[in-house]
Amino acid sequence: QVQLVESGGGLVQSGGSLRLSCAASRFILDDYAIAWFRQVPGKEREGISCISSSIGNSYYADSVKGRFAISVDNAKDTVLLQMNSLKPEDTARYYCARYYYRDYDCPLPLRAGVFEDWGQGTQVTVSS
């Protein structure tokens, strides 16, 4: 069974950094676009970044561009999200998910409905 497991969240002060991990199992990470989403209670899940190793592209929402960086650690079958210059408005639960289709670029705009195999998420809280 395909599985994605997020980790690395926590409590950090404004301006600080965190690195989230999305560990993949039972599929070849390079074959699929993987995206990070975040969600706060009462709001829709927001797509913030995506990487397609097979195509060689990565994307960022305007809200995180220049502060977050997505990458793939093939040795560990893990997608990383380095988050710098964190702001209180980055507080959310962060999820990773796999795009439905193999060997495709990230579908833009990022919509949760075309991603699958969601993990449990990891909470990020940024204090002011």
Side-chain angles (χ1 to χ4, degrees):
Q1 182 179 350
V2 169
Q3 190 174 27
L4 294 170
V5 179
E6 304 92 339
S7 63
L11 174 63
V12 64
Q13 288 188 334
S14 181
S17 298
L18 283 173
R19 188 175 73 170
L20 304 185
S21 297
C22 171
S25 59
R26 297 184 176 86
F27 72 97
I28 298 173
L29 197 55
D30 278 354
D31 286 349
Y32 293 87
I34 302 294
W36 283 96
F37 289 77
R38 65 186 182 187
Q39 189 171 27
V40 296
K43 292 192 175 182
E44 288 189 2
R45 203 162 282 191
E46 174 194 12
I48 57 170
S49 185
C50 182
I51 187 165
S52 171
S53 295
S54 60
I55 305 297
N57 287 337
S58 58
Y59 299 94
Y60 301 91
D62 288 342
S63 57
V64 305
K65 197 173 295 182
R67 301 187 297 123
F68 291 12
I70 193 169
S71 61
V72 176
D73 183 342
N74 290 108
K76 297 182 180 179
D77 288 330
T78 298
V79 176
L80 303 171
L81 185 68
Q82 179 66 42
M83 308 188 298
N84 300 324
S85 302
L86 283 163
K87 305 174 182 179
E89 51 263 44
D90 294 316
T91 295
R93 192 160 188 87
Y94 285 70
Y95 301 86
C96 61
R98 182 178 71 152
Y99 185 42
Y100 281 160
Y101 304 108
R102 180 177 170 175
D103 293 329
Y104 272 68
D105 201 353
C106 295
L108 300 180
L110 296 175
R111 292 197 179 99
V114 296
F115 285 83
E116 61 183 355
D117 302 313
W118 296 86
Q120 295 295 314
T122 185
Q123 178 68 33
V124 171
T125 303
V126 184
S127 63
S128 57

